[in-house]
Amino acid sequence: QAQHRPIFVIKAMFRFLAFALASHRQILADESWQDTPILTSLWQATSSKDNDAIDRLLDSSESVVLSRSGDGRGLAWWAWEFQNDYVLASIMVNGGDILSEDEDEAGKAAMAMCTDNPDCNKDALVQKAKSLMEEVKRRKEQRAADREKEDFDDDEDEELGDDEF
């Protein structure tokens, strides 16, 4: 009986660790999965294929690519759901993983929004998204250059001061 005790203790420790990890994952999900105005805007822009709005929203926050709504879904889920290749390309350009196995509250990965839909061709969508990545990068770099120029122009205006006119 003494020989079985260590195995029992080891099994108990593994069960405890598995429970602790699952609990920790749920706690993290509860803290970070919340509905926000920016996520609502991302959903609207993705569903209506408003690429300019997608660009503005992604420019406004580096973390928004990975943000999740209350049901655990986020930009990748909506991009797959609405078969939006531009958004999939934008996710990749901004450091996201469109093929991630991360799951939503229902236990589904983002790409399941496509693979569960007989009208969605995952491979063709990924190929199209990858072909758009250079355009998305170019647009992102152009917006950054435009913002930098605006900031420089604003700084120059401030140096003149009101009393010089």
Side-chain angles (χ1 to χ4, degrees), residues 27-40:
I27 289 168
L28 287 176
D30 290 343
E31 289 177 11
S32 60
W33 292 2
Q34 54 186 303
D35 297 325
T36 63
I38 195 166
L39 287 173
T40 299

Side-chain angles (χ1 to χ4, degrees), residues 32 36 38-39 61 63-69 73-75 78:
S32 60
T36 63
I38 195 166
L39 287 173
S61 170
S63 65
V64 77
V65 165
L66 302 176
S67 296
R68 310 272 282 277
S69 64
R73 293 185 178 177
L75 190 56
W78 306 321

Side-chain angles (χ1 to χ4, degrees), residues 6-99:
I7 292 173
F8 171 76
V9 170
I10 291 170
K11 285 182 180 180
M13 285 178 20
F14 277 119
R15 278 193 298 262
F16 173 76
L17 286 173
F19 174 77
L21 287 172
S23 298
H24 181 68
R25 180 177 179 207
Q26 186 59 43
I27 289 168
L28 287 176
D30 290 343
E31 289 177 11
S32 60
W33 292 2
Q34 54 186 303
D35 297 325
T36 63
I38 195 166
L39 287 173
T40 299
S41 296
L42 281 167
W43 181 89
Q44 290 171 333
T46 302
S47 66
S48 64
K49 298 191 187 283
D50 185 346
N51 297 345
D52 291 332
I54 289 294
D55 291 341
R56 283 190 306 276
L57 292 163
L58 292 177
D59 288 348
S60 72
S61 170
E62 291 180 15
S63 65
V64 77
V65 165
L66 302 176
S67 296
R68 310 272 282 277
S69 64
D71 63 1
R73 293 185 178 177
L75 190 56
W77 278 259
W78 306 321
W80 284 112
E81 177 182 7
F82 296 108
Q83 300 178 40
N84 191 323
D85 49 19
Y86 186 86
V87 174
L88 290 169
S90 297
I91 291 168
M92 291 186 286
V93 166
N94 286 281
D97 179 5
I98 63 170
L99 301 175

